Amino acid sequence: MNAKQQDKIATIVLYSIAGVICLILASLVGYVLIHGIEHVNWRFLTSNPESIKAGGGILPELWNSFYLLVLTLLISTPISLGAAIYLSEYAPKNKTTEFIRLSVDVLSSLPSIVVGLFGMLLFVTAMKFKYSILSGALTLTIFNLPILVRVMEQSLRNISHDQRQAGLGLGLTKWETTIFVVVPAALPGILTGIILSAGRIFGEAAALLFTAGQSAPALDFTNWNPFSPRSPLNMFRQAETLAVHIWKVNSEAVVPDAQAVSNGTAAVLILFILIFNFVARRFGQYLYKKMTSAK
């Protein structure tokens, strides 16, 4: 067998592997959407869940998922950006820096349920935040930090050294060059990483079982006082998210249409995660073209 034939066989094998992966992914997403999309309608999205009779919706769970997502990104993004700037622009190449990078990698490989148990011990028990949105958001921040730090650091490292030299040559300090030259140039990659991590946060369940709670109190969407127990903005109330709702409906629910509710909720969850990934790709491409004048 000559080199040309070997190359052709290797290409066929690689295309086959990629095709199998795409087929598995398409089958999974298709199965969830086919079984769940028929139950999704406006009433399902805007009504409260039922505990006994059929016909309940997912309004509180949908709101809680987005609220937790926003809080988590507000906490984790500036911390991650600061750590990424330090690692890419200031950290010397020594054992301390290697240890920090190793710690970030180890943290990213921890099972989410372990992070959830740690969050329960620290935020729910020690800091007395109880089962609440705040405890869930802080736990998801720990869960989200390693990914964001690595993505942001890589985005900053990809910026040409000439751009740094140009900033310093204009009389800017290193800090000003980093903030006004390097970070804006790396913004497309940074934003893409943030939006992609949003999809992971939105679908997380295990870490929230021990921190945000497994129930969703009835919310009054006319009450926006953040200290009211029924206010949607209250960070100290329990909050059941879409992913936790799927687990709870399949394990504890007694409503006659539990399977339909579970399928519909799974379809909504998959749709929003697909939207996050689509937006991340399109927005990253738009920003890249906008900031580099690429066609």
Side-chain angles (χ1 to χ4, degrees), residues 68 71-72 75 132-142 208 211-212:
L68 259 169
L71 280 180
T72 303
I75 298 170
S132 63
I133 290 178
L134 183 59
S135 296
L138 291 171
T139 303
L140 288 180
T141 296
I142 297 174
L208 296 175
T211 52

Side-chain angles (χ1 to χ4, degrees), residues 155-204:
S155 299
L156 294 170
R157 284 184 178 277
N158 287 340
I159 304 305
S160 169
H161 186 66
D162 292 342
Q163 289 183 257
R164 294 175 173 82
Q165 291 299 319
L168 295 172
L170 290 172
L172 299 176
T173 63
K174 186 173 183 178
W175 169 248
E176 290 171 333
T177 301
T178 301
I179 295 300
F180 298 114
V181 177
V182 178
V183 172
L187 198 56
I190 292 173
L191 287 178
T192 301
I194 292 172
I195 298 174
L196 287 176
S197 72
R200 192 181 182 206
I201 296 170
F202 200 77
E204 178 55 35

Side-chain angles (χ1 to χ4, degrees), residues 60-73 75 119 123-124 129-141 201 207-208 210-217 219 226 228-241:
E61 288 77 13
L62 193 58
W63 168 264
N64 291 335
S65 296
F66 278 105
Y67 193 28
L68 259 169
L69 172 64
V70 171
L71 280 180
T72 303
L73 290 180
I75 298 170
F123 303 120
V124 177
F129 291 152
K130 301 181 180 179
Y131 291 104
S132 63
I133 290 178
L134 183 59
S135 296
L138 291 171
T139 303
L140 288 180
T141 296
I201 296 170
L208 296 175
F210 304 102
T211 52
Q214 305 172 24
S215 64
L219 300 179
S228 172
R230 295 187 60 193
S231 170
L233 296 180
N234 190 339
M235 292 189 296
F236 296 97
R237 61 174 173 81
Q238 290 198 38
E240 181 182 279
T241 61

Side-chain angles (χ1 to χ4, degrees), residues 13-274:
V13 170
L14 291 174
Y15 271 101
S16 301
I17 293 172
V20 169
I21 294 173
C22 291
L23 184 63
I24 293 173
L25 180 62
S27 302
L28 177 63
V29 174
Y31 178 85
V32 173
L33 292 179
I34 290 171
H35 287 79
I37 202 69
E38 61 181 307
H39 306 292
V40 179
N41 51 45
W42 182 249
R43 186 180 180 282
F44 183 72
L45 297 174
T46 58
S47 60
N48 291 316
E50 296 287 350
S51 55
I52 298 177
K53 62 181 183 180
I58 57 169
L59 177 59
E61 288 77 13
L62 193 58
W63 168 264
N64 291 335
S65 296
F66 278 105
Y67 193 28
L68 259 169
L69 172 64
V70 171
L71 280 180
T72 303
L73 290 180
L74 285 176
I75 298 170
S76 60
T77 300
I79 298 174
S80 303
L81 184 58
I85 289 174
Y86 171 75
L87 288 173
S88 67
E89 305 297 322
Y90 291 92
K93 293 181 179 179
N94 56 29
K95 291 185 177 180
T96 303
T97 305
E98 290 177 7
F99 178 74
I100 292 173
R101 288 203 174 91
L102 177 64
S103 301
V104 172
D105 292 338
V106 170
L107 191 59
S108 68
S109 64
L110 286 178
S112 58
I113 196 165
V114 174
V115 178
L117 287 170
F118 175 77
M120 183 182 70
L121 292 173
L122 180 61
F123 303 120
V124 177
T125 305
M127 300 180 73
K128 301 187 185 305
F129 291 152
K130 301 181 180 179
Y131 291 104
S132 63
I133 290 178
L134 183 59
S135 296
L138 291 171
T139 303
L140 288 180
T141 296
I142 297 174
F143 187 68
N144 198 36
L145 278 177
I147 300 173
L148 278 180
V149 170
R150 298 301 279 175
V151 171
M152 290 180 178
E153 182 189 358
Q154 192 58 48
S155 299
L156 294 170
R157 284 184 178 277
N158 287 340
I159 304 305
S160 169
H161 186 66
D162 292 342
Q163 289 183 257
R164 294 175 173 82
Q165 291 299 319
L168 295 172
L170 290 172
L172 299 176
T173 63
K174 186 173 183 178
W175 169 248
E176 290 171 333
T177 301
T178 301
I179 295 300
F180 298 114
V181 177
V182 178
V183 172
L187 198 56
I190 292 173
L191 287 178
T192 301
I194 292 172
I195 298 174
L196 287 176
S197 72
R200 192 181 182 206
I201 296 170
F202 200 77
E204 178 55 35
L208 296 175
L209 288 172
F210 304 102
T211 52
Q214 305 172 24
S215 64
L219 300 179
D220 180 4
F221 284 90
T222 63
N223 180 2
W224 296 100
N225 179 359
F227 301 104
S228 172
R230 295 187 60 193
S231 170
L233 296 180
N234 190 339
M235 292 189 296
F236 296 97
R237 61 174 173 81
Q238 290 198 38
E240 181 182 279
T241 61
L242 289 174
V244 175
H245 187 60
I246 294 172
W247 171 83
K248 188 177 176 181
V249 167
N250 281 290
S251 59
E252 301 177 358
V254 295
V255 292
D257 62 340
Q259 190 61 50
V261 173
S262 174
N263 291 341
T265 309
V268 172
L269 188 60
I270 287 287
L271 281 175
F272 276 110
I273 290 175
L274 289 176

